[in-house]
Amino acid sequence: AGRIPMLLLARDALRSEEAAEDLEATAANIAMHPVTGMFAAPHESAFAAHAFRLAFPVHTFLMALSLALIVWMALFSPPELQALWARCLQIVCMTLGLVGRARLHVWRDSARSQRVGSWTWTILLVIGLVADMGRFAASPPAACAEALYSQYKAIAISLAIALVNGTHGLGFVQKLALMALIVTDCVVKFTVCRDREAEIGPMACGMGGVAALGAVTAHMAEMHLRHSYAKKERTDVDKRQLKERNEQLQAEKERLVYDMLRRGQIIDDDSRSAIRRGLQAGPNEPSSDTAPSEAGCP
């Protein structure tokens, strides 16, 4: 019967040691990549879900603004400059993105919501950009004239798309690839229209410039949020480590008290046996294993 408490205490100590190792591994995974800011796998998915949920008001506003500008260009551009099939496809993609973003925000599983949202955004953005480049290949004169007619709206849409793309919790490579596709769209416009419209160069450069500026701004905001997240997680780990340490000290205290109660039984742990005999010795009674210089110790 006396072995049962010791077995329970030993199991508690083993669990405490395993928990301490888990906490050390968790603390090691919080380290950020100096350029991308990426965490290790568990923390990266948790941070992406956290950032995706926080960015909901920004995404809603920017997507609604982009949708309004696209509808404006489709309805109020001169009839000879309109490419309705491309504009309709862009309107459908942006509408699906806006409605889907609102629907995903109410999901209880934040990590799954972020994964579905990021891949949905990627697919819709690729379709919209390909449609935009396709209208320049299908009808260059009309597309170039329409791009020059609505250049300021197109620049605003590029900025909004770059900001949304940078705050979706995407992986660094995926985010960079989508930004490269946005810049490719600007290069296609410049290449196709530079011989037809002299003013198309500044417009294309403006679109690419604001897209790059939006991507850098979103990345800097994400890095700031990542630093805040890492600081909070390290604080939580320190608190859990302190709690685990206090529990280990309490377990050691209970072991010592239990050893004192087990008079006449052999303890395998020599160090704890010596402590027990020292605690059991009287004020002037030396322990059997103590040295002569320690004879007066209680």
Side-chain angles (χ1 to χ4, degrees), residues 203-218:
M203 189 274 288
C205 293
M207 290 181 63
V210 298
L213 178 62
V216 172
T217 302

Side-chain angles (χ1 to χ4, degrees), residues 35-112:
V35 178
T36 65
M38 301 285 286
F39 299 111
H43 286 288
E44 182 59 31
S45 59
F47 171 78
H50 174 66
F52 184 71
R53 183 164 292 274
L54 285 180
F56 173 70
V58 177
H59 289 174
T60 304
F61 171 74
L62 293 176
M63 287 182 180
L65 177 62
S66 300
L67 179 60
L69 292 175
I70 294 173
V71 172
W72 188 0
M73 290 188 291
L75 295 179
F76 298 102
S77 296
E80 65 275 8
L81 303 181
Q82 293 180 356
L84 291 180
W85 67 271
R87 291 302 181 196
C88 289
L89 187 57
Q90 291 174 345
I91 291 172
V92 170
C93 290
M94 191 59 67
T95 303
L96 290 176
L98 180 59
V99 174
R101 183 64 180 89
R103 181 68 183 88
L104 290 172
H105 186 69
V106 300
W107 283 17
R108 293 185 178 181
D109 191 346
S110 300
R112 183 168 177 266

Side-chain angles (χ1 to χ4, degrees), residues 29-33 37-41 43-44 47 226-227 229-230:
N29 290 337
I30 303 177
M32 293 173 52
H33 191 277
M38 301 285 286
F39 299 111
H43 286 288
E44 182 59 31
F47 171 78
R226 284 179 179 274
H227 280 290
Y229 175 84

Side-chain angles (χ1 to χ4, degrees), residues 230-240:
K231 182 179 179 180
K232 179 180 179 299
E233 287 297 317
R234 290 191 186 99
T235 302
D236 293 342
V237 169
D238 291 340
K239 290 180 180 178
R240 290 196 295 269

Side-chain angles (χ1 to χ4, degrees), residues 68-248:
L69 292 175
I70 294 173
V71 172
W72 188 0
M73 290 188 291
L75 295 179
F76 298 102
S77 296
E80 65 275 8
L81 303 181
Q82 293 180 356
L84 291 180
W85 67 271
R87 291 302 181 196
C88 289
L89 187 57
Q90 291 174 345
I91 291 172
V92 170
C93 290
M94 191 59 67
T95 303
L96 290 176
L98 180 59
V99 174
R101 183 64 180 89
R103 181 68 183 88
L104 290 172
H105 186 69
V106 300
W107 283 17
R108 293 185 178 181
D109 191 346
S110 300
R112 183 168 177 266
S113 172
Q114 187 274 329
R115 288 195 300 269
V116 174
S118 63
W119 284 108
T120 302
W121 166 259
T122 300
I123 294 171
L124 294 177
L125 182 59
V126 170
I127 293 174
L129 291 173
V130 170
D132 191 46
M133 290 185 282
R135 67 191 182 94
F136 281 85
S139 180
C144 294
E146 194 272 340
L148 191 60
Y149 178 80
S150 57
Q151 55 181 328
Y152 298 110
K153 304 179 189 67
I155 291 174
I157 292 173
S158 296
L159 178 60
I161 290 176
L163 290 174
V164 173
N165 184 70
T167 54
H168 240 74
L170 304 174
F172 185 77
V173 176
Q174 184 179 0
K175 182 167 53 178
L176 194 63
L178 291 176
M179 279 305 306
L181 188 60
I182 295 173
V183 175
T184 302
D185 184 29
C186 300
V187 173
V188 168
K189 293 177 181 178
F190 176 76
T191 304
V192 173
C193 301
R194 62 180 176 179
D195 294 333
R196 294 180 174 84
E197 301 288 346
E199 297 84 358
I200 201 69
M203 189 274 288
C205 293
M207 290 181 63
V210 298
L213 178 62
V216 172
T217 302
H219 184 67
M220 296 302 296
E222 180 181 326
M223 290 293 288
H224 176 72
L225 189 60
R226 284 179 179 274
H227 280 290
S228 300
Y229 175 84
K231 182 179 179 180
K232 179 180 179 299
E233 287 297 317
R234 290 191 186 99
T235 302
D236 293 342
V237 169
D238 291 340
K239 290 180 180 178
R240 290 196 295 269
Q241 287 178 337
L242 180 60
K243 182 180 178 181
E244 292 292 337
R245 182 56 180 165
N246 290 336
E247 291 177 354
Q248 291 176 0

